[in-house]
Amino acid sequence: MTALRKMIADTADSPLLRGASAYLASEAAAKVSRLAVVVVMARFLSPAEIGIAAAAMAGSDILKSLAENGVGQRIIIADDRDVEAVCKQAHRIFWVWCSGLTLLQVAVGAGVWLAGGSVMTFALMALLGLEYLFMPGGLVQCALAMRKGMLARTAAVSGAQNVSANLLTCLLVALFPSPLSVVLPKLISAPVWLVGMRRLVAWSPAADVTPAPLSAFLRFGASVLGIEFVKAVRAQADKLIVGAVLGTEALGIYFFAFNAGVGISTSLATALSTVLFPYLSTSDDRKLALKRALMLAMAAISVVALSQSFAASHYVSLVFGSKWASVSPLVAILCLTAIPNMLWSVAAQWLRSSGRADRELLLSMISGVTITGAVIIAAPHGLHALAWTTLAVATAAQVAVSLPVLMKAFGVRTGAVCNPTFQGA
């Protein structure tokens, strides 16, 4: 008991909790404003209109995962003597990469339109693609700020962008009810993030510094890129499958239930995951850091997810209106998927911070394919069957890939999954 109390006290005073608290406050502000968006959408848009916006955003989010290419994380873990060279090469990569993503998303939207999709879907995806052009100017500064431990400030900038986008969405949806009003604020708010990040750290490429070689980014970055793409496909596949199998209206209902149920839990998971990589990468005692991270993450997510699930039958109709009361059982089920998601997130960040992004990619693919396969089988049987199946299979798959990693990391079994020191690309 004494050791447990000491660990709890140390955790409470650790950079993990301080960083997580900052990002959680940011995510909480974003989700409160996002809750207002869901309320406004529920009252001003039909399920079919919500479904159109959801389909465009789901496709966009899958492509947006390609922006998570590990380049920023290479800045965070770079040696002090190499950081300027790494930043200069990273700056070049960001501009080329994000410009390419804009063109790719516009092309995909056009392909959907030419294949029989609506012109609205094309317009929404094209608008969302323009957001990438605001990213390269601030991504190096964001990574440098996180490297310096300025997590509270980066969290504040991200929160300001999200809140401004959500409040603008509420206004536009109320005044001009259409799927376009749901998407346009994401583009309009992008300069908030860019200006905020550039104010955090003053940086520009130095003329006398030779950029780091691309080989410093390739292996690690390729694995991270694959991981984020698999993660995004897994996160959006259920929505795309529901739309394809059950139709746009069913997708609108599912999208609403997902946002009303998993939103808060996702915010907590996002806040913790954001700080886990720099925390685990820079800790002197990585096993102790992992224990603290696991204890904090699982305790917090379990309390939030279970509380939401039990309260769903009361707050759904109260907050969103009586016409959505029938969706509350769906919300209650989906809330619980946050618990196994968080367990795998901790294990995944341990692998990545140990230089084993390739291993993380393999395990992500195994769990992602398993869960997506179950969704395909369950979707024709209705939304409730889909939700129960997703919960059961996600729990089994993510526990199966997480526990061996965590047991080996703690030394419970012979051998180790990861070297306790970082092995860069």
Side-chain angles (χ1 to χ4, degrees):
M1 289 297 293
T2 302
L4 179 60
R5 285 196 296 269
K6 184 178 186 303
M7 180 177 289
I8 293 174
D10 290 341
T11 301
D13 192 43
S14 70
L16 171 65
L17 187 59
R18 292 195 297 272
S21 297
Y23 267 90
L24 184 56
S26 172
E27 287 288 331
K31 285 306 175 184
V32 168
S33 60
R34 185 62 181 171
L35 185 63
V37 171
V38 177
V39 172
V40 172
M41 288 171 62
R43 297 184 183 276
F44 286 91
L45 298 179
S46 68
E49 289 174 316
I50 296 174
I52 292 172
M57 287 191 290
S60 176
D61 284 345
I62 291 176
L63 293 176
K64 194 172 184 177
S65 68
L66 298 177
E68 300 292 338
N69 52 20
V71 174
Q73 292 178 335
R74 289 295 303 169
I75 295 175
I76 293 173
I77 60 178
D79 291 335
D80 290 339
R81 64 180 182 275
D82 300 328
V83 67
E84 280 300 322
V86 170
C87 286
K88 190 169 185 177
Q89 185 64 272
H91 184 66
R92 294 179 175 181
I93 294 172
F94 284 140
W95 271 109
V96 173
W97 196 262
C98 291
S99 299
L101 287 178
T102 296
L103 296 176
L104 175 61
Q105 183 147 320
V106 172
V108 170
V112 171
W113 179 25
L114 294 174
S118 68
V119 66
M120 177 62 77
T121 301
F122 165 62
L124 297 181
M125 292 195 69
L127 280 173
L128 288 169
L130 296 177
E131 185 181 1
Y132 298 121
L133 299 180
F134 291 91
M135 296 171 63
L139 285 171
V140 171
Q141 289 85 344
C142 179
L144 287 173
M146 296 187 74
R147 177 186 173 90
K148 295 178 179 181
M150 301 165 64
L151 295 175
R153 297 184 185 182
T154 57
V157 172
S158 297
Q161 181 201 6
N162 288 326
V163 170
S164 61
N166 290 337
L167 293 179
L168 184 57
T169 301
C170 291
L171 179 63
L172 289 182
V173 169
L175 294 177
F176 310 103
S178 79
L180 186 62
S181 297
V182 179
V183 168
L184 188 59
K186 291 182 175 293
L187 177 61
I188 297 175
S189 65
V192 174
W193 179 90
L194 175 60
V195 173
M197 288 302 175
R198 291 180 67 87
R199 289 175 63 88
L200 289 183
V201 176
W203 179 88
S204 60
D208 59 341
V209 173
T210 302
L214 281 173
S215 59
F217 299 89
L218 290 179
R219 184 171 64 85
F220 181 79
S223 294
V224 171
L225 188 62
I227 292 162
E228 295 301 329
F229 183 73
V230 169
K231 186 190 300 183
V233 171
R234 157 68 193 97
Q236 304 301 330
D238 53 351
K239 302 177 185 67
L240 297 177
I241 293 168
V242 167
V245 175
L246 299 177
T248 304
E249 185 170 347
L251 173 58
I253 295 171
Y254 185 79
F255 181 78
F256 166 81
F258 192 89
N259 279 277
V262 188
I264 296 176
S265 298
T266 301
S267 298
L268 177 58
T270 300
L272 290 169
S273 295
T274 301
V275 300
L276 275 177
F277 180 81
Y279 175 68
L280 292 173
S281 297
T282 59
S283 295
D284 294 329
D285 188 338
R286 299 187 70 250
K287 287 187 179 180
L288 178 59
L290 178 60
K291 289 179 182 179
R292 290 174 176 172
L294 187 62
M295 179 176 66
L296 174 63
M298 296 311 297
I301 203 70
S302 297
V303 169
V304 171
L306 289 170
S307 298
Q308 266 197 284
S309 182
F310 287 127
S313 60
H314 301 289
Y315 78 77
V316 170
S317 58
L318 180 65
V319 174
F320 303 108
S322 57
K323 71 176 182 178
W324 295 98
S326 60
V327 182
S328 58
L330 193 61
V331 173
I333 301 166
L334 291 173
C335 286
L336 300 177
T337 60
I339 298 175
N341 287 349
M342 189 72 252
L343 179 65
W344 167 237
S345 181
V346 175
Q349 292 301 320
W350 165 265
L351 287 171
R352 190 179 303 187
S353 66
S354 303
R356 293 301 307 275
D358 53 343
R359 179 71 170 173
E360 181 190 351
L361 173 59
L362 175 62
L363 295 178
S364 294
M365 291 180 65
I366 291 172
S367 63
V369 168
T370 302
I371 297 168
T372 303
V375 170
I376 294 172
I377 294 172
H381 301 285
L383 294 180
H384 286 84
L386 172 63
W388 279 116
T389 301
T390 300
L391 175 60
V393 175
T395 300
Q398 291 176 313
V399 168
V401 297
S402 300
L403 285 186
V405 172
L406 296 174
M407 291 173 68
K408 289 183 180 181
F410 287 134
V412 175
R413 297 171 64 181
T414 304
V417 172
C418 323
N419 189 311
T421 59
F422 180 79
Q423 301 172 359

